[in-house]
Amino acid sequence: QGLMGISNQLVTARVSLDRVFALFEAKPEVMDGAGECPGGGDLELEEVSVSQEGRRVLEKFSARIPAGTFCAVMGESGVGKSTIADLLARLI
């Protein structure tokens, strides 16, 4: 039984490793903008709304972040902070 348990663990590890290597070989669906930064570095969002799975997760969000500055987004759970971060990660 001990050998069968080890064999089962090795097979499971092999499958997991195959999945990890498949992730490394996967091509991204969204390609980077090759370092482009529209608007000279300033970031401005005007009335951005996002829906996911049929529900509104962000509605009419506006912000202006000058180039070279830091910005913190704070708020209660579920107000869209992570959605804003996801949007910015795709813009920059």
Side-chain angles (χ1 to χ4, degrees), residues 30-91:
V30 178
M31 301 303 291
D32 288 338
E36 297 175 13
C37 190
D42 290 352
L43 179 65
E44 188 167 353
L45 302 171
E46 276 188 47
E47 296 191 8
V48 175
S49 297
V50 177
S51 294
Q52 291 177 344
E53 299 176 6
R55 64 181 185 91
R56 191 69 74 145
V57 293
L58 191 65
E59 188 164 350
K60 294 185 179 180
F61 174 78
S62 297
R64 184 175 182 282
I65 305 168
T69 62
F70 290 93
C71 175
V73 179
M74 301 184 315
E76 296 177 16
S77 178
V79 296
K81 299 179 301 290
S82 295
T83 301
I84 293 167
D86 290 343
L87 287 171
L88 294 178
R90 292 183 67 175
L91 291 175

Side-chain angles (χ1 to χ4, degrees), residues 13-28:
R14 169 74 191 243
V15 170
S16 298
L17 209 54
D18 287 344
R19 290 180 183 164
V20 168
F21 285 129
L23 285 174
F24 284 136
E25 294 172 0
K27 301 263 188 231

